[in-house]
Amino acid sequence: MRIRLLLAAGLLACAAAAPQGALARPMQLEDLFKLHRVSDPQISPDGRLVAYVVTDVIKSENRTDGNIWLAQADGAGEPRQLTNSPKHDRHPRWSPDGRWIAYESSRDGLIQIFLLPLDGGEPRKLTTLSTGASQPVWSADGTMVAFVSSVYPEFSDKPFAESDRLNREKEEAREKSKVKARVVDQLLYRHWDEWVEDKRQHVFVVRVKSDGSADGDPRDVTPGENDGVPTSSTFAATDEFAFSPDGKELVFTAPPMPVREQAWRTNHDLWSVDLATGKRTQLTTQPAADGLPRFSPDGKLLAYRAQERAGFEADRWQLWLLNRATGERRSLTAAWDRSVNSFEWAPDGKTLFVEAEDDGGDPLWSVAVADGKVTRLVTGGTNTAVSVARDGSWIAYSHQQMNLPPEVYRFRLGDAQPAPVTRTNADLLSGIELPRPESVTVPGAGGTPVQMWILRPPGFDAARKYPLVFWVHGGPQGAWNDGWSTRWNAQIWAAQGYVLAMPNPRGSTGFGQKFTDEISHDWGGRVFDDLMACLAYLEKQPYVDASRMASAGASYGGYMMNWFQGHVQGKFRCLINHDGVYNFQSMYGTTEELWFDEWDHGIPWESPEFEKYSPHRYAAEFRTPMLIVHNDLDFRVPISEGLQVFTLLQRKGIPSKLLMFPDEGHWVLKPQNSELWHHTVFDWLASYLKK
C-alpha cells in the first residue's frame, strides 16, 4: 500500500485550537490547571470506538483524577465517561471480543485490575493482590490477563495464597514498626522518587471467566530474585511483555542480572516463559538493552527494539525482527539514523507503525518488514501512543503541539490528512491566544546546524522589544519538541510577556545519533558553544531586548545554569536552576542510575578528567542572581546539589532564593505545589526582567 506524506497535520491541529482574534487573551495559570489531560487511546476490536483516559486536576485536594472515556472513532457525537471513581482509572485495554475493558484503578486504595463491561453494569474487580496490580495485557483469545505487581521475591515460589499472605504480613509489620530504619546491601535501593526496598516487579497471569471474574488464583510467571519488567522508565516504552498469539508463552523484558549490577549496567534481555511448564528461555544475550517485545500476528516473528552500546542509555534504538523458528534476527532500521521510541504491528504482518523523533518533532512512520523501507505517515507536532485498527485501515494516536494540548487523532491510510477524534479542550481554549512557535536553524560549534524554537508572546508587536527567556532542556539526551507540557509549558511562560527560546543543541535527540553522542564527556564544550550561538542569533533580532535576558533549565538544563554562572557574565539578569547538577563528585556518590554518570563523565577514580566540566570548579566566578528549585525526593539529582549552590551564592552575597518541596521528586507534580512553583518562578523573572 502506498501511503502519502501528511503535511497538513499542523494546520489541522491549529484549526482545532482556540480562535485567534481581537477578543483572544493570553493564557493564565488557572487555564493550565483547568485543561483536561487526554492520553492512551485504544481502538475497540470492531473499530467503531476509541477508549482513552482523561485526567483532571483537583487543585483544592492537591491531586489529579483520571477516568476512562469512550468516543466514536469517526469523531461524531459526544464522548461519554465510562468510569467515575474519585481516584485514578487508567491504562484501558480492550478484550479481544470487545466485551470488556481491562484497566487499572486505585478506587479501593491499592491499584488493582478491574474489568468494565461494555454492555452495562458495574466494573468487576479482577485482582486483589496485597501488593497491588497494574498494566493489564490480554491474551489473544481473551482467556488470560497478564499484569505487574511489586512483590517480595523470597515468597514468590510459594502458592499464591501463601505468598500473598506473607507479602501482606511483611508490609503490615513494616508499617506498624516504630523503627523506620533501612538496611541495604546493594545499589539501586532508591529510584527516581521512591525507596525500592527489597521488592521486585514480577509479571503475573490470571485466567478470566466469561463473566469477568478471575478463574483461580493469579500465577507469578517470573518468580525469583529478578524483575520481570524494566525498573527504569528509561528502558520501558509501554507494556514490556506480550502473549504469543497462541497463548502458550509470554515474552518479557528483564533488567540486568545479578540484581546488584542494575545500577551501572544497561543490559536488558528478552525472555520467554512457557505458560504450561513455567520454563524460561533467554531470547537475547547481547550486552546492551533489548526491549518492547511484540509478536507478529501469525506468531512467526518477534519484533523488538535494541541498542548496540552497553552502558549508554541514549544509544539509538533499532527495530529488530527475530524469526522464532530459525533464530535468525535482523535489524529493520540499521540504515535509518533515527531512534525507535515505540511501535505496533499492522494486522497483515507486513508493516510496523513506528514513533520516532525527527528535527524537533515526533512524527509517525511505517517500516516495511520485507526491506525496512521507512515512510513518514504523520508529521507536525508530537504524535505518540499508536493504536492500530483490527482491519489495518487506520490508526488512532495522541497528537499535541506547542499550542494544542493532547487530543486523540485518527489517520486512515491513504487519506490526505488526519482528523481529530476528540476535542476535549475546545471550549476551554476558546478565546485564548496560543501562538505557534517558529523554527529556526543556527550554525553551532564547527558550523553544525542547530534547530531552535522561538515562541513570541500573545499580542506580539514586531515594532516592540521584549525581554527574552532562554530555556535549556534536560536529559541532556532529550529535546524541545513541538508538544504540550503540564510542567514546563511554553505558552504560559510566553504569556508573561516574554519571547521564549528553546534551542536543541548537541546532545539533543531526533537529529541523528552522532549529534546526540557529541555531548558525552563534553557537557560544557560544543553544547555550550551551540547555546551561545543560538543566544547570539537572538540578541540580533529586532524584537529582543538584549539588555533584559534570563535563562532557565531543569536537570541538565539546571546544570547548564550552574555552568553559565561560571562562564557567562553580564548577559543574563537572572537564572533559574531546577534540580541542576553542581558537583560531579557528590552527584556520582548520591545518584541512583550510575550508568548515566559513568557513560557521560567516566568513573571518578579511573577518569583523570572526570571533573573537567563540573560547575563547582568555577565557584569563584558565580555572580548572577539565581532561583534554585530542588526537592527532597529527587533521587536522580539529589537535593544536596541544589543546597551546595544556594550555600555558595548566599555566602558570596549573591541574590538567591531556594524553593524546596519535601513531597516532590525530580518533577513538581502536585497541583498546589505546581501553582507555588509557577508563582515563584514568574515573580523571580518579573523582578529582573520587567524593571
Side-chain angles (χ1 to χ4, degrees), residues 209-228:
K209 294 180 180 179
S210 60
D211 64 357
S213 62
D215 185 5
D217 289 333
R219 181 159 56 101
D220 188 339
V221 298
T222 61
E225 182 62 34
N226 54 262
D227 290 281

Side-chain angles (χ1 to χ4, degrees), residues 8-18 380-381 399-401 403-404 409 418 420 436:
L11 296 175
L12 187 63
C14 290
H399 172 78
Q400 58 180 289
Q401 293 186 185
N403 66 327
L404 180 73
Y409 270 61
R436 281 292 297 152

Side-chain angles (χ1 to χ4, degrees), residues 439-646:
S439 178
V440 300
T441 301
V442 177
T448 299
V450 175
Q451 187 269 341
M452 175 169 61
W453 295 106
I454 300 174
L455 184 65
R456 297 171 179 82
F460 176 76
D461 180 354
R464 290 181 52 194
K465 283 185 176 290
Y466 293 85
L468 172 76
V469 178
F470 188 72
W471 274 5
V472 180
H473 67 64
Q477 292 89 358
W480 296 123
N481 284 336
D482 184 9
W484 189 266
S485 174
T486 57
R487 297 193 304 273
W488 286 62
N489 183 277
Q491 292 291 339
I492 196 66
W493 285 60
Q496 308 307 305
Y498 306 127
V499 171
L500 183 65
M502 294 157 278
N504 282 315
R506 293 306 207 289
S508 298
T509 51
F511 301 89
Q513 191 60 43
K514 181 176 183 291
F515 194 82
T516 302
D517 290 349
E518 288 182 339
I519 197 171
S520 297
H521 290 266
D522 194 39
W523 272 30
R526 283 167 293 189
V527 57
F528 175 74
D529 294 339
D530 290 347
L531 292 169
M532 289 299 97
C534 289
L535 188 65
Y537 171 90
L538 293 160
E539 289 177 293
K540 296 176 183 177
Q541 302 310 303
Y543 54 84
V544 170
D545 184 348
S547 69
R548 291 186 296 159
M549 300 193 301
S551 189
S555 197
Y556 174 82
Y559 157 86
M560 187 51 70
M561 298 307 103
N562 292 327
W563 191 253
F564 283 170
Q565 280 279 20
H567 295 81
V568 181
Q569 305 300 342
K571 285 190 178 292
F572 298 120
R573 286 194 175 186
C574 68
L575 300 169
I576 298 173
N577 165 9
H578 179 114
D579 295 346
V581 179
Y582 169 69
N583 184 327
F584 283 9
Q585 288 282 357
S586 58
M587 169 69 178
Y588 180 88
T590 54
T591 191
E592 10 84 294
E593 294 183 349
L594 288 182
W595 65 74
F596 173 75
D597 257 4
E598 293 186 358
W599 183 274
D600 264 35
H601 307 307
I603 299 175
W605 56 90
E606 294 179 359
S607 306
E609 293 193 330
F610 180 83
E611 291 188 340
K612 179 179 180 180
Y613 292 110
S614 182
H616 84 281
R617 297 179 60 229
Y618 302 90
E621 304 302 322
F622 281 38
R623 63 193 66 176
T624 306
M626 176 179 274
L627 169 66
I628 302 156
V629 182
H630 227 115
N631 306 318
D632 287 14
L633 298 180
D634 188 352
F635 301 150
R636 174 55 36 83
V637 182
I639 194 170
S640 59
E641 297 301 299
L643 298 181
Q644 291 177 73
V645 180
F646 184 63

Side-chain angles (χ1 to χ4, degrees), residues 301-323:
L301 298 174
L302 182 69
Y304 63 98
R305 61 179 197 150
Q307 297 180 323
E308 287 186 332
R309 290 175 284 182
F312 187 21
E313 68 171 41
D315 195 19
R316 178 167 64 111
W317 288 98
Q318 296 182 40
L319 181 58
W320 283 76
L321 294 179
L322 169 63
N323 187 306

Side-chain angles (χ1 to χ4, degrees), residues 12-240:
L12 187 63
C14 290
Q20 312 286 301
L23 298 179
R25 62 172 175 82
M27 186 177 178
Q28 299 173 1
L29 181 57
E30 197 60 31
D31 297 321
L32 187 62
F33 293 128
K34 289 179 179 178
L35 290 171
H36 310 290
R37 304 173 183 182
V38 178
S39 62
D40 204 3
Q42 299 290 320
I43 302 173
S44 63
D46 62 11
R48 297 187 303 108
L49 302 169
V50 179
Y52 57 99
V53 178
V54 177
T55 302
D56 292 312
V57 171
I58 314 298
K59 197 173 70 169
S60 62
E61 300 177 19
N62 204 24
R63 66 179 180 87
T64 57
D65 176 25
N67 283 291
I68 311 296
W69 284 67
L70 200 63
Q72 294 184 45
D74 60 5
E78 290 295 322
R80 60 188 177 98
Q81 186 172 343
L82 294 182
T83 67
N84 191 25
S85 77
K87 299 294 181 66
H88 281 293
D89 296 333
R90 59 195 179 196
H91 205 82
R93 295 296 183 267
W94 292 89
S95 63
D97 60 8
R99 293 180 56 216
W100 308 92
I101 293 178
Y103 65 100
E104 59 184 58
S105 176
S106 59
R107 63 180 58 201
D108 291 344
L110 282 176
I111 294 176
Q112 301 287 353
I113 307 300
F114 287 76
L115 298 186
L116 182 69
L118 267 293
D119 57 1
E122 290 298 309
R124 275 74 155 171
K125 192 173 184 179
L126 184 65
T127 66
T128 56
L129 278 77
S130 64
T131 49
S134 61
Q135 292 181 252
V137 171
W138 289 91
S139 62
D141 63 2
T143 63
M144 294 179 286
V145 169
F147 60 88
V148 176
S149 187
S150 186
V151 301
Y152 294 104
E154 62 266 33
F155 310 135
S156 60
D157 60 348
K158 300 181 183 299
F160 173 77
E162 182 181 0
S163 67
D164 194 54
R165 175 179 59 80
L166 292 169
N167 274 293
R168 182 178 63 256
E169 290 174 352
K170 187 168 182 176
E171 289 278 83
E172 290 174 349
R174 280 187 164 176
E175 286 295 318
K176 293 176 181 178
S177 176
K178 302 294 185 184
V179 178
K180 301 303 179 183
R182 293 182 172 91
V183 179
V184 298
D185 59 4
Q186 60 187 14
L187 293 178
L188 220 58
Y189 50 87
R190 60 183 191 174
H191 209 186
W192 280 109
D193 61 356
E194 63 182 358
W195 292 88
V196 176
E197 307 293 356
D198 48 357
K199 285 186 174 181
R200 297 286 171 254
Q201 296 183 77
H202 285 186
V203 181
F204 287 72
V205 170
V206 62
R207 290 196 169 275
V208 183
K209 294 180 180 179
S210 60
D211 64 357
S213 62
D215 185 5
D217 289 333
R219 181 159 56 101
D220 188 339
V221 298
T222 61
E225 182 62 34
N226 54 262
D227 290 281
V229 292
T231 55
S232 173
S233 58
T234 301
F235 301 101
T238 174
D239 302 320
E240 287 284 341

Side-chain angles (χ1 to χ4, degrees), residues 268-302:
H268 286 64
D269 291 311
L270 299 185
W271 290 73
S272 170
V273 57
D274 185 309
L275 295 179
T277 66
K279 180 183 178 181
R280 278 187 257 186
T281 303
Q282 188 170 359
L283 302 181
T284 62
T285 57
Q286 61 109 7
D290 307 309
L292 197 60
R294 291 291 184 269
F295 282 93
S296 61
D298 61 8
K300 295 180 180 179
L301 298 174
L302 182 69

